[in-house]
Amino acid sequence: MTNDDTRVDFWFDPTCPWAWMASRWLDEVAGHRDLDVHWHIMSLAILNENTDVDESYRASFPRALRYARVVAAAEALRGEATLKPLYDALGTRIHHDQRATDVEAVVAESLAEAGLDASIADRALADADGRFEFEAELRASHHSGIDLVGDEVGTPIIAVNGVAFFGPVISPAPHGDEALALWDGVVAVASYDGFFELKRSRTRDPIFS
């Protein structure tokens, strides 16, 4: 990292497939550009706790919140540097291996892969309605992203040198020149202060390559 590196902040919910896809894209871009990437936890459960959403979607929130709490606990206990390796380990199991419902095993394996102590799980995996000792830290991280873009969005949130936006929602994650072209275009569009939205209907599910 140098003083000339572009700072990028990325907020994710570990259970969101679209955030996972965008994170793989960012990894690809970071291999070719001078980026100083910082990872942050956010929570779709917190974002939607007072909104009217489909009941089947709401039913997934307790599980999603447990994963978010594990990440928040790891950061609080071991620092920001733990977030990327832990997210990589969780995301591989949740999205590629389709094991999201196997929370305890996924968390245990992911903590071990990231070199983190198993006791983090004990401090994070209380009942989703119970007390979580790092609740304030989780919510502060969540709102640090949401406050940049407003609450009519989801995850991921990306900020490039302080200019933040929701998305992009992409499938599959591009590689090589396509990844860099998309990055340049998204950053250019987001840098215009009067730009707010660009969207079309999704025609495919997440493609995990």
Side-chain angles (χ1 to χ4, degrees), residues 10-16 19 40-51 57-58 60-72 128 132 134-135 137-146 150-151 153-157:
F10 188 102
W11 283 263
F12 64 92
D13 181 309
T15 64
C16 177
H40 309 276
I41 188 64
M42 66 177 292
S43 169
L44 291 171
I46 292 174
L47 180 66
N48 292 287
E49 61 189 355
N50 296 313
T51 60
Y57 181 41
R58 186 173 297 280
S60 69
F61 290 166
R63 181 175 65 240
L65 190 56
R66 298 180 82 193
Y67 283 117
R69 285 176 168 177
V70 169
V71 176
F132 173 51
F134 303 112
E135 186 73 19
E137 289 86 346
L138 170 57
R139 289 179 178 270
S141 179
H142 172 88
H143 286 293
S144 68
I146 288 295
D151 58 8
V153 299
T155 174
I157 294 169

Side-chain angles (χ1 to χ4, degrees), residues 49-116:
E49 61 189 355
N50 296 313
T51 60
D52 183 17
V53 298
D54 183 85
E55 285 305 311
S56 62
Y57 181 41
R58 186 173 297 280
S60 69
F61 290 166
R63 181 175 65 240
L65 190 56
R66 298 180 82 193
Y67 283 117
R69 285 176 168 177
V70 169
V71 176
E75 181 178 19
L77 294 168
R78 293 288 298 276
E80 181 192 324
T82 65
L83 266 66
K84 181 57 163 59
L86 181 55
Y87 182 32
D88 288 346
L90 288 169
T92 298
R93 290 164 174 81
I94 291 170
H95 302 296
H96 289 268
D97 299 343
Q98 296 292 296
R99 294 176 55 203
T101 59
D102 195 9
V103 179
E104 286 78 7
V106 166
V107 167
E109 294 168 17
S110 298
L111 288 171
E113 182 178 314
L116 296 168

Side-chain angles (χ1 to χ4, degrees), residues 112-134:
E113 182 178 314
L116 296 168
D117 194 277
S119 64
I120 290 173
D122 297 331
R123 300 178 69 170
L125 291 183
D127 183 271
D129 293 326
R131 181 182 178 276
F132 173 51
E133 62 180 305
F134 303 112

Side-chain angles (χ1 to χ4, degrees), residues 29 39-40:
V29 174
W39 301 85
H40 309 276

